[in-house]
Structures are given as structure tokens and as C-alpha cells.
Amino acid sequence: MAKRPALPPSQRASSGSRRPPSAERPLNKLLAKLPPDEYQRLRPLLGTVPLKFKQILHRQGEKIDTIYFPAGGVCSITSTMTDGRMVEVATVGNEGMVGSTAFFGEDVHPGESMVQVPDGFAQTMSVRVFRAELDRRGPFYSLAARYSQALMLLIMQSAACNRLHSVEERCARWLLMTHDRAGADRFKLTQEFLSVMLGVRRPSVSIVAKTFHKAGLIDYGHKQIAILDRKGLEATSCECYRVIQAHFARLLP
Ligand SMILES: [Zn+2]
């Protein structure tokens, strides 16, 4: 387990270069699964906000006001212990929504939601509107229910993975999941941050990064990481990457 890293100003980046999602067609894949007329009905109820590096979307233990539908980038849901140690429990990109705890009727966020890889914007919905839309029991409810179930399965698999699989396997899984959501082969990532996300000590991550680099799987430096060999990472990852992918493919085809 590692402590949360301090964030020097040099690491705070501005929002990504992607333009705001088109009002006609959402870049968020969950909203894009809505029937077009249903999305058009929802459009006036949605806002748009930029997603910035390390931006906190929800704080642990605080009330949820807003649901975020990222158009790109990667957000981390983390859990923090009373002694300050934290670990990532879920990853959300443009396949989902951040704040889905509200689906289950909960007002308070159990973890922290943070932007890990910024890439543009998120469409937003107030929790009040979110609940009213769920009450309609229409296509939006169906999508939110299936996504919430997929996210729960992701968290269940991650809990087992964190206990049973090696740091190397988990690191490969994490890189693959982040690569899928980042939509780019190169993204901002420090080893310190990766150690926090995986809940392991920094030297362990450093050894794994060197091994991956030597094997030609990744390149790293300047607080960035580049994915060079996806197939190699898939072969290195534990089964959890494929299991989670299968859950999402089944529930959100
Ligand atoms: Zn695993």
C-alpha cells in the first residue's frame, strides 16, 4: 500500500484538447446507446464540463450532486483508509458514468472519483434529474442498471485480483484497461501514481516497469507511459482483464 502522492504544480495539466462533445451525437458510449429520440429528449437536461488532470469529481463521504458521462479520458474511483492509504477500486472512461452509486439510491459517495487521464470533457446530469430519469423506467434506466451491474462485477473481479494475482499481472491488466479508455497509445502516468492505483510500494512498480520495458511492452519517461505491445500485455495480464471485458460486452453490447 502506498500513500497518496503530493501533486506538484508541474503535474497539473490543463484539460485535454478534445472539443466539447457534439450535441447531436454523444462521445460517451453509454449515452450513445440511447435511442436517438431519447437522447434528444435528454439533451436540454445535460451540461458539459471540462475534465482536468487530477480533478476530483466526488470526494469520499460527501454528497453526490452530479453524474459525469466522460467523453474521453480515464477516471479512477479510489478508496481511502483512515490512515491515508488509498487504492483504486474501479476505472471509468467513456464506456460509463462516474457517480453510479446514485443508481442504488445512495446520496453519499463511498470513494473518491478523480480524473486520471484527461481527454476533453464530460456531459453531466444532476442527481435530481438522474433520479427522475430512473423513475421513468425507460431506456435510460435500463442502460444505467446494466452499467451499474457491469461496474459491480468489475469491482468484484478487482477485489479478487488484488488478493490473488501478482503485481506484474495486475499492472498489465491496469495498463490495458487504461489504454482501452484513454484512446491513445501514450498517456500521462508516473510510477508513483501507478503504485497508488495498484496499492503497492513504489519499488515494486519500478521493477515491473523495468521488466515490461525490457520486454518491449511499454516505454516510459517524462511522466508519460507508451503502450508498445498490447498483445504482449494481454499475454502478461491475469485472466481478470478478459473476464471484465466479457462482462461489459455482455451487459452493454
Ligand atoms: Zn487478476
Side-chain angles (χ1 to χ4, degrees):
M1 293 285 174
K3 295 225 175 205
R4 180 194 305 239
L7 304 177
S10 60
Q11 282 195 29
R12 290 186 205 125
S14 58
S15 62
S17 56
R18 194 177 289 200
R19 290 183 305 159
S22 153
E24 293 300 325
R25 279 191 63 197
L27 292 175
N28 177 274
K29 290 177 185 169
L30 203 59
L31 292 178
K33 288 181 199 300
L34 286 170
D37 57 338
E38 185 72 355
Y39 177 65
Q40 293 305 322
R41 185 183 63 75
L42 281 177
R43 262 177 66 192
L45 305 173
L46 297 168
T48 303
V49 296
L51 293 182
K52 295 176 183 171
F53 186 48
K54 302 278 188 192
Q55 182 182 346
I56 308 291
L57 304 180
H58 303 111
R59 288 188 191 279
Q60 188 163 322
E62 289 188 0
K63 211 172 167 201
I64 303 171
D65 293 324
T66 307
I67 311 292
Y68 296 83
F69 299 87
V74 186
C75 299
S76 284
I77 316 298
T78 60
S79 186
T80 307
M81 299 293 142
T82 48
D83 64 4
R85 290 181 301 167
M86 70 186 290
V87 66
E88 185 187 72
V89 293
T91 306
V92 182
N94 71 350
E95 84 292 352
M97 57 183 174
V98 183
S100 59
T101 305
F103 176 82
F104 301 104
E106 178 70 286
D107 274 343
V108 174
H109 204 261
E112 187 171 272
S113 315
M114 181 183 59
V115 180
Q116 175 201 124
V117 179
D119 185 18
F121 291 76
Q123 282 179 285
T124 58
M125 182 185 275
S126 73
V127 165
R128 184 183 56 78
V129 170
F130 182 72
R131 295 237 160 92
E133 287 302 319
L134 296 182
D135 286 343
R136 293 171 71 98
R137 290 295 192 270
F140 183 82
Y141 169 82
S142 170
L143 268 180
R146 281 184 281 136
Y147 175 73
S148 299
Q149 187 178 353
L151 188 68
M152 193 170 73
L153 292 171
L154 182 157
I155 293 169
M156 281 174 66
Q157 191 72 31
S158 301
C161 183
N162 286 347
R163 181 68 186 85
L164 299 175
H165 293 150
S166 70
V167 175
E168 196 169 89
E169 290 172 314
R170 287 165 50 206
C171 191
R173 170 174 75 85
W174 192 90
L175 288 171
L176 286 166
M177 289 180 65
T178 303
H179 188 217
D180 288 343
R181 288 160 178 79
D185 291 336
R186 184 177 291 274
F187 45 88
K188 186 180 285 214
L189 182 71
T190 62
Q191 289 187 22
E192 188 175 15
F193 187 71
L194 184 55
S195 73
V196 172
M197 290 301 105
L198 295 175
V200 296
R201 293 185 185 282
R202 166 82 189 270
S204 305
V205 164
S206 187
I207 290 167
V208 172
K210 277 194 187 116
T211 308
F212 284 6
H213 184 244
K214 233 175 156 181
L217 304 180
I218 61 165
D219 193 11
Y220 60 87
H222 304 294
K223 295 172 183 167
Q224 284 201 335
I225 195 152
I227 306 294
L228 302 180
D229 179 3
R230 250 198 86 91
K231 289 219 177 306
L233 277 176
E234 286 175 14
T236 307
S237 168
C238 49
E239 70 206 56
C240 301
Y241 174 68
R242 289 178 294 281
V243 170
I244 291 167
Q245 259 198 330
H247 286 319
F248 275 78
R250 187 182 72 255
L251 287 161
L252 297 161

